[in-house]
Amino acid sequence: MGTIRRRVDLAFPRQMVWETLINPTELAVWLMPNNFKPELGHKFTFQTDPAPGFDGTVHSEVLELDPPQRLVISWKAGNLDTTVSFALTETATGTRLDLVHDGFALRQWPTRAILTAGWGRILRKKLPVLLTSKGPA
């Protein structure tokens, strides 16, 4: 089994970062278009471009919702059946976001490698750009 772990410190208040995780319009900007609702048990999808072995749809469900500090969703796409958790912690300079994408089988290492790079790019570039565009922290 394999796990992706990513940590990023953001110079924004925790509530502001939380809103980018649970607002479907903002989630679409930094992650993917979706029909997410911040409701425990809500089933939703993310949509992106198809790739070999992947039709472009990620099937998800809200598994945990503890505002404004923790969100856990299922992440099922192609042959993946995994979970993604986002944990937000206040820091002296803003918010620490810890992402854990868990449940990869050993044979899924190529997909895990692609997602590891993707999560890094998204959390270090796309998410901060969106937060900055929302105005001063």
Side-chain angles (χ1 to χ4, degrees):
M1 299 296 245
T3 301
I4 298 169
R5 295 181 192 281
R6 287 285 176 255
R7 171 176 281 178
V8 62
D9 287 310
L10 302 161
F12 299 92
R14 181 167 65 170
Q15 187 62 41
M16 189 176 180
V17 177
W18 178 254
E19 289 298 323
T20 67
L21 294 180
I22 65 163
N23 179 308
T25 303
E26 293 181 14
L27 195 55
V29 171
W30 68 269
L31 189 53
M32 288 182 270
N34 63 85
N35 60 340
F36 176 84
K37 289 182 186 174
E39 300 169 1
L40 194 59
H42 176 69
K43 294 181 180 176
F44 64 100
T45 58
F46 289 107
Q47 292 297 142
T48 191
D49 296 328
F54 172 53
D55 66 3
T57 302
V58 178
H59 299 275
S60 296
E61 179 179 349
V62 178
L63 302 175
E64 281 184 50
L65 188 66
D66 184 10
Q69 54 203 13
R70 187 165 166 81
L71 171 66
V72 180
I73 61 173
S74 61
W75 186 279
K76 299 177 183 182
N79 65 351
L80 289 182
D81 187 354
T82 57
T83 60
V84 178
S85 66
F86 302 90
L88 303 180
T89 307
E90 288 184 55
T91 67
T93 58
T95 304
R96 173 168 292 144
L97 186 156
D98 286 297
L99 173 136
V100 177
H101 192 158
D102 197 24
F104 294 92
L106 187 58
R107 71 183 182 287
Q108 295 170 323
W109 68 265
T111 302
R112 189 179 74 194
I114 291 166
L115 286 169
T116 298
W119 281 123
R121 182 180 64 256
I122 288 167
L123 296 179
R124 297 199 186 281
K125 294 184 180 165
K126 291 181 87 174
L127 182 57
V129 166
L130 173 62
L131 288 162
T132 300
S133 74
K134 291 174 70 170

